[in-house]
Amino acid sequence: MALEERGMAGTELDREHFRRRLLELCEALEASQAAGDEAASTVELDQQRQGRLSRMDALGAQAMSAATQRRRGAMLARAQAALARLDEGEFGICAECGEPIDPRRLEFDPTVELCIACARSAEEG
């Protein structure tokens, strides 16, 4: 059931506010993703150009960068899914129980799919 039908604070103004926030988030994540691609690139293993410890440091930095890129990619996917829910009229509705998600929770993280009660249940079980 769409937000408007449930009587949640889901006015056009609120929907546009969340759309802007999600679009800004996607834009920032895409820019960070592009910048992080270079840091995650293959480490040069030429012993004539750098020592073993420098290579180990570079490999460690590369691994951290790759993990950061994966987290950014996952967050981007969540933001894009939230935009799709917004377009479908399902934004702000818990994917588990179908109840409205508290707008304060959405303000904190507009990508959430679960109300706080269902999120707690998912963590516990």
Side-chain angles (χ1 to χ4, degrees), residues 9-82:
T11 64
E12 275 306 306
L13 181 63
D14 291 334
R15 290 171 51 84
E16 287 309 310
H17 165 73
F18 286 113
R19 182 178 307 282
R20 280 191 307 276
R21 284 203 52 209
L22 288 164
L23 288 171
E24 288 170 4
L25 178 61
C26 287
E27 200 173 288
L29 288 167
E30 287 168 349
S32 293
Q33 197 82 344
D37 285 342
E38 184 178 320
S41 63
T42 305
V43 174
E44 188 175 312
L45 296 176
D46 183 1
Q47 289 185 357
Q48 301 300 320
R49 297 191 64 202
Q50 63 178 230
R52 183 174 60 96
L53 292 178
S54 294
R55 281 194 318 280
M56 289 174 60
D57 286 343
L59 287 169
Q62 177 191 26
M64 287 191 305
S65 180
T68 299
Q69 289 291 80
R70 283 191 299 276
R71 284 193 303 275
R72 275 191 204 117
M75 184 63 169
L76 180 59
R78 286 194 308 272
Q80 290 168 338

Side-chain angles (χ1 to χ4, degrees), residues 73-125:
M75 184 63 169
L76 180 59
R78 286 194 308 272
Q80 290 168 338
L83 280 168
R85 287 192 306 277
L86 195 65
D87 291 340
E88 295 163 3
E90 294 296 320
F91 181 80
I93 303 297
C94 179
E96 188 68 31
C97 69
E99 292 297 316
I101 299 172
D102 189 319
R104 293 171 297 184
R105 180 166 167 76
L106 291 169
E107 193 62 44
F108 179 75
D109 181 359
T111 68
V112 296
E113 296 183 62
L114 301 176
C115 68
I116 196 72
C118 290
R120 281 187 184 137
S121 292
E123 285 180 4
E124 292 171 356

